[in-house]
Amino acid sequence: MGLHWHSPGVATVIFEHVYEMVLDNVFLHLGDAVENVEVFLKMEGLNPAGSVKLKTAVAMVEDAEQRGLLRSGSRLIESSSGSLGIALAMVAAAKGYTFTCVTDPNTLPHSLAVMRALGAETVQVDRRDASGGYLGSRISYIEERVAADPGLVWLNQYANPANRGVHDRCTAAAITAEVPAVDYLFVGTGSSGTLMGCVSHFRRESPATRIVAVDAVGSVSFGTSAGPRFIPGIGASRRPELFRPELVDEMVLVPEADAIRTCRWLAATRGLFAGGSTGAVMAAVIRHAPALPAGSRVVAISPDLGDRYARTVYDDAWVAETFGPDTLTAEATGAPGLSTARR
């Protein structure tokens, strides 16, 4: 394969705004990492906000601008466990808006620090909702704030069509343009904007592709029982309005311990420092690979990288305390709890 360096004669791209710096055509070919299938990991963390959520943030803000909801000095509010909050803080700072991010105790300290560095206000909601999570409580808090202050603009990633639309015309379109004949697409489910945008695009452009939605055990999006979750970025304690389960081909729940083992396996065997939701999506790929037709071409979306998870997913003490020492013991055997993963 060789190294690929920027060199004289290659077009230089100069951006006017930091939030325009999205690389949508970068894939990591995992070669023989997973038996029986060929896997391409779509790398979404290579932008200034560090995640796929930069596209979501820009799309929702620009949609609100076009509808006349935002003007110079407008105030935004949104619920986020981390990545969208960082992206919106970046966009708001660049465009001259103020931004309040409503978070919860699972939001990583690193993410909070980045948001504050970008000028955002952060509010932590620590009251659990009826499902035992925090999303319902975060949304209730926002609804109360907006009712009391009509000048606040809530973008509402969970129901905003602009969230779904940008992943239709950008994220999914980049996959069909760069990786021909995709047999299976694995996508994590949080707000479900990325997933549903991919569903919309693939149903038009590549209807034979089977779409697999991936979520964390303990999330209620797929209609299963609520349970404790500790890794932000995937899962929800209430079903997002955007999510249409009847439109996907399969729904897969992944225990967070498997996501952690898979993250560590990617780091140890591929040098990829991946985020927790990437671990969940790849764990689903690894689990399903033996049942897929031999040689199937699989694309899995990697929403972010691992820097925000260094003190959780990649911290032995945190993992042992949160999930038990057996989690690390299984990882140390060389297989991430999933026998089809090669060392």
Side-chain angles (χ1 to χ4, degrees), residues 16-302:
E16 296 296 329
H17 304 287
V18 66
Y19 52 80
E20 297 172 344
M21 299 171 64
V22 174
L23 300 176
D24 226 355
N25 61 346
V26 179
F27 295 78
L28 178 62
H29 183 210
L30 292 181
D32 65 350
V34 182
E35 293 180 1
N36 202 50
V37 298
E38 184 179 26
V39 180
F40 295 85
L41 196 58
K42 187 176 192 305
M43 305 304 300
E44 292 284 355
L46 303 175
N47 64 62
S51 80
V52 70
K53 293 292 190 176
L54 181 55
K55 285 178 281 189
T56 301
V58 172
M60 293 195 303
V61 168
E62 291 186 346
D63 174 72
E65 289 172 338
Q66 291 166 7
R67 291 189 290 127
L69 300 177
L70 298 178
R71 59 187 182 276
S72 179
S74 285
R75 294 172 293 125
L76 304 175
I77 191 167
E78 183 57 279
S79 159
S80 172
S81 61
S83 290
L84 181 67
I86 290 172
L88 279 173
M90 178 174 291
V91 175
K95 285 178 171 283
Y97 304 133
T98 62
F99 171 53
T100 298
C101 186
V102 182
T103 70
D104 62 54
N106 286 336
T107 304
L108 301 175
H110 175 93
S111 297
L112 292 172
V114 174
M115 284 185 252
R116 291 167 183 157
L118 290 165
E121 174 194 20
T122 61
V123 176
Q124 185 180 93
V125 171
D126 56 11
R127 175 175 54 85
R128 293 188 181 273
D129 57 27
S131 297
Y134 297 100
L135 178 55
S137 297
R138 293 192 331 230
I139 291 175
S140 293
Y141 174 85
I142 290 175
E143 290 173 337
E144 292 170 4
R145 285 282 303 269
V146 171
D149 183 358
L152 273 178
V153 177
W154 178 27
L155 298 171
N156 193 0
Q157 63 166 320
Y158 312 102
N160 194 324
N163 181 3
R164 177 185 61 231
V166 71
H167 297 293
D168 180 335
R169 64 180 183 271
C170 295
T171 307
I175 296 172
T176 55
E178 302 291 337
V179 185
V182 177
D183 297 305
Y184 294 86
L185 176 65
F186 285 71
V187 189
T189 308
S191 70
S192 78
T194 305
L195 171 66
M196 299 315 299
C198 286
V199 167
S200 178
H201 179 86
F202 273 83
R203 291 297 179 247
R204 290 194 317 271
E205 305 296 334
S206 181
T209 300
R210 290 187 61 82
I211 298 176
V212 182
V214 181
D215 205 356
V217 170
S219 172
V220 305
S221 295
F222 294 173
T224 51
S225 299
R229 292 178 292 109
F230 303 96
I231 302 175
I234 190 171
S237 58
R238 65 185 280 278
R239 176 176 285 180
E241 290 86 345
L242 288 177
F243 183 47
R244 298 279 303 280
E246 71 275 12
L247 298 181
V248 302
D249 295 299
E250 187 173 355
M251 296 182 289
V252 177
L253 289 173
V254 172
E256 288 188 320
D258 274 1
I260 289 169
R261 286 190 282 264
T262 306
C263 282
R264 288 171 168 240
W265 166 73
L266 285 168
T269 66
R270 299 285 150 169
L272 176 61
F273 195 39
S277 49
T278 300
V281 172
M282 276 303 301
V285 172
I286 292 167
R287 181 195 302 174
H288 280 66
L292 303 183
S296 293
R297 179 167 291 183
V298 173
V299 171
I301 294 181
S302 169

